Amino acid sequence: MTIEKAAEEIRSMRVRGAAKIGRHAVRALGAMPWSGDMAAFEKAAATLVAARPTAVSLPNAVEYVVKRVRAAPPAQRVETLRRVAADFDARAAKAVDEIGRHGAPLIEEGATVLTICNSQGALAPIFEAARQGRRFHVIALETRPWRQGLLTVGQLAKEGVDASLAVDSGAWSLLRETDLVLTGADSIAKNGDVVNKIGTGGLAVLARERGVPVYTCAETFKIDLKREQGEDVPIEEREVAEVVQPGEVPANVRVRNPVFDVTQHRFLKGYVTEVGVLSRETLIAEAQRAWG
Ligand code: RUB
């Protein structure tokens, strides 16, 4: 896999989801033919980071590798790259398992859980609760325009979890029969605001109104220490063709396709991470402890 091909797979969403794009970039770096020329390495890293703008997991994952390679003695750089890339990948895989372990107790026997988009972080507690023998129901919102909800119900059905699919605008009605909302995250700002798939922010507001707790399930490498609040995170706006076919709207009508939004921290009950279920107050310190 070349760097350009990996970047293209991320850009075109053939590889998608915050953790997966970070891991894909790191794997591409780890596998690149390289003799130790730092300029070529930094260029490859920059190409990967530029592929999608919102999920901080992408620059954070790449930075994890780049920092360690830069710090290695020149003669050990190539070996360091291979080793550190493999380390990150293993650590990220383990983090999802840990999120499952910490989050599973939130799901009680007979509960109804609602989720949006397709997040391996949000699915991890669901799969773990099912493995522990509890029976419950999961509603997946379809998630326009890419319909990642179809991926979610596919994964749920495969694991034998009772699931239903609903249109995004069904959230308000369906929250009446929901006990818990689990979402993923693309970025978490320093103040605890979460940036995730478009619709998540509104879902959290509606859940508050219905008295349903909302947890964000995310690895701590999705924390963006450079962004004070969610509104500071750049929101990707993708092509119009993902929303309408040519000719469907008059030529003088603009079509918008922002693909993420901000969930203010005050609408979140907590953060299910690989180091435990955290509050906004403990999130940053725990993450820093985890990554050094
Ligand atoms: C995916 C999305 C997911 C997060 C978390 O958006 O918003 O909720 O990335 O996913 P897209 P994960 O489909 O546009 O990439 O928990 O798998 O990292």
Side-chain angles (χ1 to χ4, degrees), residues 10-291:
I10 294 170
R11 252 192 312 270
S12 63
M13 289 178 60
R14 268 198 299 282
V15 177
R16 47 145 301 280
K20 278 191 186 149
I21 63 176
R23 292 175 70 181
H24 197 61
V26 163
R27 280 187 199 150
L29 279 178
M32 72 184 263
W34 191 49
S35 57
D37 166 20
M38 279 312 281
F41 177 62
E42 304 266 358
K43 188 169 166 238
T47 301
L48 291 162
V49 167
R52 282 191 84 183
T54 299
V56 76
S57 48
L58 179 57
N60 279 356
V62 168
E63 185 64 17
Y64 178 91
V65 175
V66 169
K67 232 167 141 174
R68 286 162 178 78
V69 169
R70 274 195 206 125
Q76 289 168 31
R77 276 185 188 147
V78 175
E79 181 274 326
T80 302
L81 169 62
R82 312 292 178 221
R83 178 172 43 79
V84 168
D87 283 355
F88 180 86
D89 203 30
R91 220 173 145 168
K94 189 160 169 259
V96 177
D97 293 344
E98 293 295 307
I99 288 171
R101 203 168 61 77
H102 293 301
L106 297 171
I107 303 172
E108 292 176 5
E109 176 72 25
T112 294
V113 182
L114 189 144
T115 189
I116 181 167
C117 196
N118 177 248
S119 158
Q120 304 318 299
L123 282 168
I126 292 171
F127 292 148
E128 181 55 28
R131 267 192 292 273
Q132 291 173 4
R134 289 197 287 293
R135 276 160 310 162
F136 50 89
H137 183 66
V138 179
I139 302 170
L141 295 180
E142 179 193 17
T143 316
R144 282 279 290 157
W146 269 73
R147 308 181 81 201
Q148 289 94 331
L150 295 177
L151 299 173
T152 298
V153 290
Q155 281 186 268
L156 290 166
K158 200 165 157 217
E159 292 288 321
V161 177
D162 183 36
S164 50
L165 180 78
V167 292
D168 300 344
S169 45
W172 173 245
S173 294
L174 294 164
L175 280 164
R176 276 226 289 260
E177 50 195 82
T178 298
D179 301 292
L180 175 70
V181 173
L182 296 179
T183 84
D186 286 83
S187 285
I188 304 177
K190 226 170 147 184
N191 72 344
D193 288 352
V194 166
V195 178
N196 191 52
K197 181 54 55 190
I198 189 102
T200 307
L203 172 62
V205 175
L206 298 178
R208 162 67 56 86
E209 189 64 24
R210 290 268 190 235
V212 179
V214 182
Y215 287 85
T216 288
C217 307
E219 303 86 337
T220 54
F221 67 85
K222 292 173 181 166
I223 293 174
D224 189 346
L225 290 174
K226 295 196 188 100
R227 316 278 179 189
E228 292 295 330
Q229 51 182 17
E231 297 298 337
D232 300 337
V233 175
I235 301 293
E236 178 178 10
E237 182 137 1
R238 294 182 65 89
E239 284 158 33
V240 167
E242 294 179 351
V243 181
V244 289
Q245 301 301 311
E248 269 185 336
V249 291
N252 55 353
V253 170
R254 259 195 325 142
V255 175
R256 302 292 309 272
N257 187 19
V259 298
F260 299 103
D261 67 17
V262 177
T263 303
Q264 290 171 12
H265 61 74
R266 64 195 174 95
F267 295 108
L268 296 169
K269 174 102 180 181
Y271 306 81
V272 184
T273 74
E274 75 276 20
V275 290
V277 180
L278 304 176
S279 68
R280 182 171 94 88
E281 288 70 30
T282 54
L283 179 69
I284 303 296
E286 290 294 335
Q288 278 172 329
R289 213 193 323 273
W291 291 91

